[in-house]
Amino acid sequence: MSTTHSPADPARPVRLPHRSRQGIVLGMDGAQLVFLAAAAVVLLIGVNRFGPPGLLYSAPVYLPLGIAALVTVHGLSAPRIAGLWLSKQLRHVSGATVHRYRPEEAHLDGTLNLPGTRASVQLWDINGMASVYHPHERTVSITAELEVQGFLMKDAPERLDLAQQWSPVLAALTQRPGIKRVTLQERTTRTTIRRARDHYEQASRKRLVDPESPAAKNYSGVLDNSEQFAVGHRNYLTLTLDLVTLGAQLKALGGGKQAIQALSAVEAGNLTEAMRSAKITVRRWLGTREVAELARTTFDPESIPMIRNRTADSTGVDPVAIGPMYLEEPRGRNGLVLTDSAAHTTMWIHEWPRSDAPVGFLAPLVFARHPVTNEAVDHILSIVAAPVPVGRALRQIREEKKVWRGNERLRAKRGTQGSIVDESDWLALEQREQELVAGHGEFSYGAYLTVSAHDEQTLQQAIAGARNALSVAGMEAQVLYFQQAEALLVNALPLGLGMK
């Protein structure tokens, strides 16, 4: 990050590095280059075979390929969109776009009620803390609920101090092998006012309030009416460990499941201490029932009041009920996915503030509202960050600089000049290199926003409210067309996953 104000200014803004637009060559990705190469080959064959008339004969082939290589649809190149569309059609044909769970059917032992390969995910309990083992990726994840103590409500100096304390914790993760991903997640969902009800009941008994009195009935009515407007903001951090990289440590711990569990417990303790030094409190490390609750309440929001009102040993959800009873990607509606009692749309945040942004600039999104009903927008915001070792990060910057210089030479040969966008890409590379030399950490990150609602009409209103909040924060999101089920699972399950 770079700053434009003096370090003594507590409200100083920071500038976030933007995504490069250089591509592989002149801003084009691999799929576009393949289509252009195919068009050139077809044109060359046509001219060699038929001479000048070959330009006309082969036009029905090379023109569509060339045009498709230069056209963008929904912010993506046409070849990539075509590949995603074809993939979804194949999944429709094979029935993979609908998931219906039948409890009475026989199920493979050790699997969960989750679509696809995630059914093989295993939840292990370590003294009340869950470690989520993903056998296909060979990773294990642990999730903590963080106590942020009203971060967005604090004054600018306090927010800046907390951000500065948190930065070294993240930077340290890039210097430790075996940390595959760090996922920061903010969930805004409906909740209950059980604590308010319990307090009222205790106070009523203590003060001998007559429950049949007009005042008591009126207050009970107020509680009942306020239930529908109760909103909870919860923050989580998921640490995902690469078991292949940590193979030597696992072997030293004895290997197998017990070694993985022991390593998870050690990393949880280390992270708790690191965050405590950064003035961030770990409210709790989630157990298996709490992990299942995160997924279940996403797929079935109607169950939230019932689940959140549970107490003692019955809190959370049994892992058997972690997944949806019903999940479908509707044919012809490529921007949403339907589950038990909700419709969801997941977007990729591809544009961050271009101008200087203050610490806490995400506040408009966290408190986003429906533009019609003014209710809070139910959403899950995930930032999935993969630590990049300093050496590899510097090599990536050198490679990107080579691409930038190559594009400049090509533009010079064509007699065209670079734009301000190209110049900003170079300045961003210079800034990243300076920060790495100064001791900052490097992360490869992506951010995903899932918006949920009871039905499709309400969902569109919620998306409009989320987009309004994104624009206020200087951000822009793009719907992940043809990938909605996959994207929803990335946000719903605390596995530290990202989109491929």
Side-chain angles (χ1 to χ4, degrees), residues 126-164:
I126 313 170
N127 298 324
M129 183 190 75
S131 58
V132 187
Y133 174 63
H134 197 314
H136 293 279
E137 286 208 350
R138 288 288 293 162
T139 61
V140 64
S141 301
I142 51 178
T143 301
E145 183 178 355
L146 304 182
E147 180 65 65
V148 294
Q149 299 177 348
F151 174 79
L152 294 177
M153 301 296 183
K154 294 182 182 295
D155 295 333
E158 294 178 277
R159 281 191 285 183
L160 178 60
D161 179 62
L162 288 174
Q164 290 176 331

Side-chain angles (χ1 to χ4, degrees), residues 103-125:
E104 68 279 4
E105 293 181 357
H107 300 282
L108 185 64
D109 186 36
T111 61
L112 297 174
N113 170 27
L114 292 171
T117 59
R118 291 179 179 86
S120 59
V121 167
Q122 300 176 31
L123 299 181
W124 299 337
D125 182 81

Side-chain angles (χ1 to χ4, degrees), residues 112 120-135 139-144 238-241 243 250 256-268 285-292 319 322 494-495:
L112 297 174
S120 59
V121 167
Q122 300 176 31
L123 299 181
W124 299 337
D125 182 81
I126 313 170
N127 298 324
M129 183 190 75
S131 58
V132 187
Y133 174 63
H134 197 314
T139 61
V140 64
S141 301
I142 51 178
T143 301
T238 298
L239 184 67
T240 303
L241 305 176
L243 300 180
L250 292 174
K257 177 179 177 180
Q258 292 183 345
I260 296 175
Q261 291 178 317
L263 183 62
S264 299
V266 170
E267 291 295 341
W285 287 97
L286 301 189
T288 54
R289 292 183 65 90
E290 286 79 17
V291 168
I322 188 174
L495 299 180

Side-chain angles (χ1 to χ4, degrees), residues 6 45 100 136 146 167 182 184-185 199 219 232 237 246 249 252 260 282 304 350 364 458:
S6 64
I45 293 175
R100 290 186 178 90
H136 293 279
L146 304 182
S167 179
V182 180
L184 299 170
Q185 192 172 84
H199 177 75
Y219 194 78
L237 183 146
L246 296 171
Q249 294 186 36
I260 296 175
V282 174
I304 290 178
H350 66 92
T458 310

Side-chain angles (χ1 to χ4, degrees), residues 53-75:
L55 291 171
L56 182 62
Y57 298 154
S58 58
V61 179
Y62 72 77
L63 281 180
L65 288 173
I67 293 173
L70 303 176
V71 171
T72 59
V73 181
H74 299 308

Side-chain angles (χ1 to χ4, degrees), residues 247-321:
Q249 294 186 36
L250 292 174
K251 186 177 181 180
L253 291 171
K257 177 179 177 180
Q258 292 183 345
I260 296 175
Q261 291 178 317
L263 183 62
S264 299
V266 170
E267 291 295 341
N270 292 340
L271 190 58
T272 299
E273 289 299 322
M275 288 192 290
R276 183 180 293 118
S277 65
K279 300 180 182 180
I280 298 175
T281 303
V282 174
R283 180 179 295 173
R284 57 174 176 166
W285 287 97
L286 301 189
T288 54
R289 292 183 65 90
E290 286 79 17
V291 168
E293 177 187 339
L294 289 183
R296 170 74 184 284
T297 53
T298 300
F299 299 129
D300 186 14
E302 293 292 338
S303 66
I304 290 178
M306 176 265 295
I307 293 174
R308 297 278 167 83
N309 281 329
R310 293 173 176 170
T311 58
D313 295 337
S314 62
T315 56
V317 173
D318 191 296
V320 174

Side-chain angles (χ1 to χ4, degrees), residues 433-464:
E433 192 170 25
Q434 291 174 3
E435 290 174 349
L436 286 171
V437 173
H440 291 266
E442 174 82 354
F443 284 88
S444 173
Y445 67 92
Y448 308 95
L449 175 66
T450 295
V451 179
S452 305
H454 300 296
D455 52 49
E456 294 183 40
Q457 181 178 0
T458 310
L459 177 62
Q460 295 306 315
Q461 297 175 6
I463 293 174

